[in-house]
Structure formats: structure tokens, C-alpha cells
Amino acid sequence: MTSDDTIVGIDLGTTNSLIGVVEAGFPILLADENGSRLTPSVVYFPSDGGEPEVGAAALRRRVTEPARTIVSVKRLMGKRRGELNLSVGYPVVAAADDRLRIKLDEQLLLPEEVSAIILRRLKAIAEYRLERPVHRAVITVPAYFNDAQRQATKRAGELAGFQVERILNEPTAAALAYGLERLQEQAKVAVFDLGGGTFDLSILELREGVFQVLATQGDTQLGGDDFDRAIAGWLQGEIFANEPVPPLAQARMLEAATLAKHQLSAMDEVEISLPFISGTKSFTTNLTRAQFEQLILPLLERTRRLCLQALADARCAVANLSQVVLVGGSTRIPAVRNFVADIFQREPNTTQHPDESIALGAVIQGGMLSGAMQQLTLLDVTPLSLGIETFGGLMNVILPRNTTIPCKAGEMFTNAVDQQRAMLIRFLQGEREMARDNWELGQLELPFSPAPRGQARVGVQFAIDADGILQVLARDTLTQQDQVLEIRHAAVQVDDEKVESMVAESVEYAFEDMTERQLTEARLKAEELLTAVSTASAQAGELISLEQQAAISQATTAVQSALNSNSLTALKAANAQLDQATETLAAALVEAAMEAAMRRKGLI
């Protein structure tokens, strides 16, 4: 295989990253010069401005120089002001464009620039092992990464010298690694992915050779790093109580917490020793597995609701699952495995290496794209609905939630005001019925020739590519002029917690939202009816009887009264009554128009 044909697969993880390739038809993960396939996702920037250190060497600097050692940078990818809700141990600031940057002396670095350094190290490992250049890559991301986070990941790959062929959802990659395509037809599988910094739960189905993601839920601020912080927080309370904590002590407690977490996966109790943690003060204590499980229980409970919501979204009962697959290093923890078994009422599948399965899936996907492996169809889904605001402040959904991607859909819209010269189109994401309750992705103004109400025609199309990146097109059908908006920086500029609660809110407020939507639609119909009836009555003259005119007048008054009452039931009934009352009027106008046309043609 030539270097141009090779497509490497990369798991760009919060804690560790891996790279691999398909060689001679087999997916393999590539080890560095020391024989390690795992590269810690850590970058150390020397104070003298020398070349950054990456991986294990950088990780050793974390205790002595925490402010210059960048860890868990994946948690900052695509984030903006107000979206970081935890301390990462090094300075993070929001620049003038609101995007988060890492501050090193006078230098401000975007998270993707730091990630690119990690990716360049992985690229060097691959080229060292393969003895040829590599330029093309598949890179994995959490399924719940929004457009801004996916774009940042893609930019990181490009900065590292890769042509990014695909941004692949991590649960989908894990499914490939587990060989789930070999299951019986119509098998359903849950992939529970708990890594260092993110959590995903996806429900997948194999049907007629197509592997489809039915639903996905996740939390991009939950992972093994949070377990470390839970232990470190407990240590801080034991050692310092309410005293100020020196940065070096914080770094040492976090390092001790990580080691204790790893040991407690195999031991029932560990000793934590921190000599000279503060001046001459030393500290030693024991931490039992039971204590550790109590510390992380609130974090684990955050996954339960997401698991149940994904099952509900997929319309899948626990009993209908063929397997529950564990992915991510944090699933080694016995408490996590027991928690998953409790939720899904079965022992989870642990046959694959939890740290390597996502990378292996990325490698398989790269092999499929390059032709080095047999094709298998993979279909992911949109996590939230996409649409536009329409007249009356309604959310008009164009791409429903859980639509399989890549996808494309559009609708035609018309002007709501006479002689309107332009249409301001607001693009929204969310599950609520009213536009104000969803999140604005962007907007554009499409000019068109002045036209009476309802005469202008504007087409709006949403297209999501295989990487989950959104492009919106608006077209004036008269002039065929297009305007295109690509969501490049922030698909949803809100906290991740709000993204994850959107579905829950849509359920909680479903009755109120639907009532308000129906009332708004009834109001719009009423106003349209009143305008139409007023115009038609003026044209009708003596075409209808006095009794019919009186019935129309009475029905019109009822609609006007119902509009003021704010009652949905009354307004629907009044609209129906006016519709019925004007049937004769409408028929008379149509008959008169046909008769006039025939006279013009000399037929009568």
C-alpha cells in the first residue's frame, strides 16, 4: 500500500491517544520507540521556549510544573466563554472572540493547536513504524460532541498535517472493534463509553448489513478525570481543611488520586502517602474501595438518566438488547461494571481492551475508506432536531432528532407580510415547540423582489455530512440566488449540561409547549381567515343571500371574540364555524370567476 492509499485511525482521547493502520488486511495499533501503544494526551511547554514535550515525558512534568503541563485538552475543544465548569490546573482565558485559549506567558493557544501537537507525535510514531509518510486519517470524537467541537477536532488534524477523511463517533468505532457486525440480523447493542473526560451511551442496531445508531446520549464533562478529582477533593479536606492549597500540592494530590484509583480496581484498600505535602507537613492515609465507590457514586448516577433516556429514544427495552459493550479506561473500575450491570440487568461485554477498542474501530473505518478492508455501512444520527423559526415564533423542524447522517432535507417557505423585501432566517437546534426555547445556530437575511403576502418562495435546506458538520442553504426560487451558512465555530453556544437537558425539558414541558403551539397556529389561522373573509365579502356583493351574509358576520365576530379570550378550545371552534359559514361564499366566488373566464373566451 502506498502512502497516498494509507488512512490511519486515531483515537484522540482525553487521557491517552492511539494510532493504527490496516496492514495486510489486519487492523493493528502502532507502538512508539519504547513499545507503548498508549500516548498520554499531555503536552509540556518549557519555560525557555524550547520544543514542547509530548506523552509520557510531558506527564512526568505535571507534578513539578502544572501550569505549563497541558492535560485533558479535549475538554476545552470548541468551547467558549462560560462553557468550562471545572479547573484544569493551568490558566485558561476567553479571548475577544469568546473562544477559550490556554495562557502560557504571553502566548495564547487554542485547544486545537495543543491537540495538533499530540497528533503530530502520533503521526511521527506511524511514520516511524510504517517507514513511509502518512497524510490521511480518521479521528474519533464523542458522539455528543457538537459542531464546534467536531470542527475543532478536524482543524487539529489539519494543523498536524493530516487530511481528515472522517470524524467518527466513538461508540460507532467501538462497535466496529467488537465485531458486532457478526451478530444476528436486527441485533441491538448498547455501547457504554466512559473515558478519561467524556461519557457516551449509544444504542445501535444491525439490520440487513447496515449498522445504524438508533439513539445517543452523553456528557462531555464526565469521566475518569472527575473520579480523580473526587479523591483529590477528599484528600484536600483531610489535609488542608479550609486552608489555602498551594498549586504544587494540588498537582501531587491529583497524581496520588489517579494512582489510588488504578490500584483500587484490583485491591480492596490502598495506602496514600504524601511526604512533605506542605512545607514540613507529611500525610499518610488509607482509602478503601468502598470509600472510593461512595466518592464517585454521584458521578455514576449522572450516567443512569442518560442510559434510560437513550433506551427510550431508541424505543428499545433492556430485554431486547443483545449485548452491552464497555468502552473506555474508566470501565475497568469494578463499581462502574456493577453499575452498568444494574442498569441493563445483564453482565456487560468486556472482551475487548477498554483503552484500545475505539482506536481499533477507527483503524477499521480507515481501512474501509481506503479499500484495505471489506466495506460495512455505518450510519450515525443527529443528537438534536434542526429547524428554523417560522411566523408566530414557532420552531419548524426540518431534520428531526435521531435522523441518520449523512443527510439532507429542505422545505419551502413564503413571506408573511405584503411587499416584504427580505426574509431573516434563524436556524435553530432543540426539541421545544417554540423557537425562543431552542438554541440559535446562526441566521442570515435573504433578499427577494417585493411580493404580496404568500407570493415569495424561499427554499431552506439543511445538509449534514458524514462528519456531523452542518451546512445551511437558503434560496430565492425566483432568482435562484443562494446564500450558504456553514456552522464552523459553535453549533450550540451554551453549557454542555444544557445540551444534555434539552431532551428532558422537552418531555417535562411537552403539554405546555404543545398547547402554546396549537394556540399560536390557531391564532395565525384565525387572522388569515379574517383577512380572507373581509376581502372575499367585499368581492361577493350580491352573490350570497342576506342570511348567508349574516351567518358569516356572526362567525367573524365569534373568531374575533375567541382571539381575545386566549382559549384554544374556543378559537378552534370559532375557526371551524367560520370555515363552514364561508363555504357558500367560496363556492360562489369560484363559480363567478369561472363564468367570467368563459365570457372572456366567448364560450358563453
Side-chain angles (χ1 to χ4, degrees):
M1 182 179 288
T2 68
S3 61
D4 288 340
D5 294 331
T6 303
I7 302 179
V8 295
I10 296 173
D11 174 8
L12 183 60
T14 306
T15 308
N16 294 294
S17 295
L18 303 94
I19 188 167
V21 69
V22 173
E23 283 284 89
F26 293 95
I28 58 170
L29 298 179
L30 303 172
D32 63 15
E33 301 87 344
N34 300 314
S36 175
R37 292 191 293 270
L38 290 176
T39 297
S41 303
V42 184
V43 182
Y44 165 71
F45 292 88
S47 56
D48 62 6
E51 283 295 310
E53 295 179 6
V54 185
L59 185 58
R60 288 191 288 269
R61 302 276 192 172
R62 184 180 187 183
V63 174
T64 56
E65 298 186 71
R68 307 193 68 84
T69 307
I70 311 306
V71 299
S72 302
V73 70
K74 185 173 179 176
R75 285 188 153 185
L76 305 180
M77 297 285 277
K79 294 295 184 68
R80 301 173 78 87
R81 188 191 306 272
E83 293 185 344
L84 181 66
N85 58 2
L86 52 86
S87 171
V88 289
Y90 45 85
V92 177
V93 299
D97 60 0
D98 275 354
R99 297 169 71 189
L100 295 184
R101 284 172 168 79
I102 297 154
K103 191 174 189 304
L104 288 166
D105 303 322
E106 301 305 314
Q107 189 179 16
L108 293 178
L109 293 173
L110 285 165
E112 52 262 43
E113 293 175 314
V114 177
S115 291
I117 296 172
I118 299 169
L119 288 169
R120 276 196 287 271
R121 170 60 181 156
L122 296 175
K123 189 173 188 285
I125 291 171
E127 291 176 343
Y128 165 73
R129 288 298 181 190
L130 298 174
E131 298 181 342
R132 63 177 184 268
V134 292
H135 306 293
R136 304 166 69 192
V138 169
I139 304 176
T140 62
V141 295
Y144 232 67
F145 254 26
N146 62 27
D147 188 73
Q149 292 164 309
R150 292 169 187 269
Q151 289 281 9
T153 304
K154 190 172 184 179
R155 282 197 299 274
E158 292 165 349
L159 288 171
F162 285 115
Q163 177 181 322
V164 181
E165 300 290 341
R166 181 69 55 86
I167 297 293
L168 179 66
N169 280 352
E170 290 170 2
T172 308
L176 279 176
Y178 274 80
L180 297 179
E181 75 278 6
R182 293 191 293 271
L183 291 172
Q184 70 273 22
E185 286 297 297
Q186 297 194 352
K188 291 185 175 70
V189 178
V191 179
F192 186 100
D193 180 1
L194 185 62
T198 59
F199 167 69
D200 273 313
L201 190 286
S202 294
I203 308 296
L204 305 100
E205 181 180 33
L206 177 69
R207 179 182 293 177
E208 297 177 357
V210 175
F211 211 16
Q212 181 173 353
V213 181
L214 300 180
T216 185
Q217 289 285 332
D219 188 333
T220 57
Q221 297 291 307
L222 177 63
D225 288 357
D226 300 286
F227 299 166
D228 298 344
R229 289 188 179 89
I231 299 174
W234 171 74
L235 286 173
Q236 181 175 323
E238 294 290 311
I239 301 169
F240 294 97
N242 296 320
E243 300 172 24
V245 183
L248 188 57
Q250 286 182 331
R252 287 187 61 196
M253 287 188 295
L254 202 55
E255 182 185 46
T258 304
L259 178 61
K261 177 188 71 176
H262 292 162
Q263 291 174 330
L264 285 170
S265 289
M267 303 167 63
D268 291 328
E269 186 172 358
V270 296
E271 180 181 88
I272 300 175
S273 181
L274 293 163
F276 306 110
I277 184 67
S278 179
T280 60
K281 183 178 182 179
S282 297
F283 179 80
T284 301
T285 189
N286 286 351
L287 178 65
T288 67
R289 182 185 286 182
Q291 287 174 301
F292 169 58
E293 291 176 353
Q294 281 300 116
L295 288 172
I296 67 171
L297 183 59
L299 297 166
L300 286 179
E301 283 293 345
R302 283 165 57 182
T303 71
R304 185 187 299 273
R305 177 183 61 81
L306 298 171
C307 291
L308 297 178
Q309 184 64 56
L311 286 167
D313 292 344
R315 295 179 175 84
C316 176
V318 167
N320 294 334
L321 290 173
S322 300
Q323 286 192 41
V324 178
V325 173
L326 294 188
V327 180
S330 297
T331 60
R332 281 194 182 89
I333 299 170
V336 173
R337 295 187 174 190
N338 293 336
F339 197 82
V340 173
D342 177 62
I343 293 174
F344 293 99
Q345 299 168 29
R346 73 185 64 219
E347 287 301 313
N349 181 329
T350 59
T351 56
Q352 285 283 328
H353 194 301
D355 289 318
E356 297 182 351
S357 56
I358 289 173
L360 201 60
V363 170
I364 293 170
Q365 174 72 97
M368 288 159 47
L369 293 175
S370 69
M373 292 193 74
Q374 184 179 358
Q375 284 284 346
L376 172 71
T377 305
L378 294 170
L379 302 175
D380 286 325
V381 295
T382 57
L384 291 170
S385 299
L386 297 162
I388 73 168
E389 179 179 10
T390 56
F391 196 55
L394 298 174
M395 165 71 159
N396 189 93
V397 173
I398 293 177
L399 281 176
R401 179 168 179 263
N402 284 334
T403 296
T404 300
I405 61 174
C407 58
K408 185 184 293 185
E411 285 189 26
M412 297 295 295
F413 298 92
T414 189
N415 57 324
V417 179
D418 279 335
Q419 303 308 309
Q420 191 172 333
R421 294 177 175 270
M423 186 180 294
L424 179 65
I425 305 172
R426 292 180 64 224
F427 307 111
L428 307 171
Q429 183 176 35
E431 301 305 311
R432 303 289 297 276
E433 298 292 338
M434 306 304 294
R436 65 170 186 271
D437 297 320
N438 295 299
W439 301 312
E440 183 177 309
L441 301 179
Q443 57 179 252
L444 57 80
E445 189 170 272
L446 185 69
F448 45 77
S449 301
R453 175 179 175 175
Q455 295 301 305
R457 291 287 184 272
V458 173
V460 176
Q461 175 182 279
F462 282 69
I464 304 179
D465 65 18
D467 296 332
I469 293 169
L470 171 67
Q471 187 180 74
V472 184
L473 177 144
R475 172 177 295 168
D476 177 358
T477 59
L478 180 64
T479 64
Q480 295 297 302
Q481 292 296 307
D482 293 346
Q483 286 202 42
V484 177
L485 176 67
E486 185 161 306
I487 312 299
R488 299 201 63 86
H489 298 306
V492 184
Q493 297 179 18
V494 292
D495 295 339
D496 289 320
E497 288 81 0
K498 292 184 180 178
V499 177
E500 291 147 13
S501 69
M502 170 57 77
V503 177
E505 286 182 8
S506 71
V507 174
E508 182 179 355
Y509 298 107
F511 181 78
E512 296 91 332
D513 283 0
M514 187 52 67
T515 300
E516 185 174 2
R517 182 182 190 95
Q518 290 175 343
L519 181 59
T520 302
E521 289 173 341
R523 282 182 168 281
L524 292 173
K525 180 177 180 180
E527 290 164 1
E528 188 176 336
L529 272 172
L530 291 173
T531 301
V533 168
S534 175
T535 303
S537 296
Q539 294 173 349
E542 298 178 354
L543 292 177
I544 56 175
S545 67
L546 293 176
E547 291 81 0
Q548 290 167 337
Q549 291 178 28
I552 292 171
S553 177
Q554 184 181 357
T556 300
T557 302
V559 169
Q560 292 168 335
S561 176
L563 271 171
N564 295 327
S565 73
N566 213 35
S567 166
L568 175 60
T569 304
L571 191 52
K572 277 186 169 182
N575 283 343
Q577 181 185 351
L578 184 55
D579 260 337
Q580 186 176 1
T582 54
E583 284 178 358
T584 304
L585 171 60
L589 287 172
V590 169
E591 187 176 331
M594 290 177 64
E595 185 176 329
M598 291 174 71
R599 278 203 177 91
R600 285 195 299 273
K601 293 179 180 180
L603 298 176
I604 57 174

